[in-house]
Amino acid sequence: MAGCVNALRCLVFAFNLLFWIAGIVTLGLGVWLLFDPAASDFFALHSANDGSYRAVAWLLVIAGAIMTFIGCCGCCGAWKMSQGALMGNFMSYFFSPDPLPIS
């Protein structure tokens, strides 16, 4: 039974580590879009709305920060085998809004 628990612990840790890295990448992309003048000039040239790229950049920053926090909590919970942290992590995944609802 201990082998199954360790395998499940490693699986949960790996999934949350990937989620954490995806959050850092998303956060970095949002910050890059906000502060790089070449990117803002490019999107200002090719955008139908003037400030829409800044709104998208802020949404990426917010989503990346949330993903980073949830992934970090999940990794720490899996590493320390903290039942409360893992339950909070599961609840954040379970109650997050579905981006692609099935009709």
Side-chain angles (χ1 to χ4, degrees):
M1 189 66 157
C4 290
V5 171
N6 284 335
L8 190 59
R9 175 183 170 196
C10 291
L11 188 66
V12 169
F13 182 80
F15 173 74
N16 282 302
L17 184 65
L18 288 175
F19 197 73
W20 191 7
I21 291 169
I24 290 171
V25 169
T26 305
L27 180 67
L29 180 65
V31 169
W32 173 70
L33 285 175
L34 279 175
F35 293 112
D36 187 23
S40 60
D41 290 343
F42 176 78
F43 284 111
L45 256 168
H46 299 294
S47 177
N49 299 334
D50 289 335
S52 63
Y53 73 94
R54 291 194 67 79
V56 169
W58 278 110
L59 285 173
L60 284 172
V61 167
I62 292 168
I66 292 170
M67 288 172 64
T68 302
F69 178 73
I70 291 172
C72 179
C73 288
C75 281
C76 292
W79 189 259
K80 302 252 186 205
M81 289 183 154
S82 170
Q83 194 172 15
L86 287 173
M87 185 57 77
N89 187 311
F90 170 74
M91 295 302 247
S92 66
Y93 289 138
F94 188 73
F95 289 118
S96 64
D98 188 13
L100 299 172
I102 299 173
S103 320

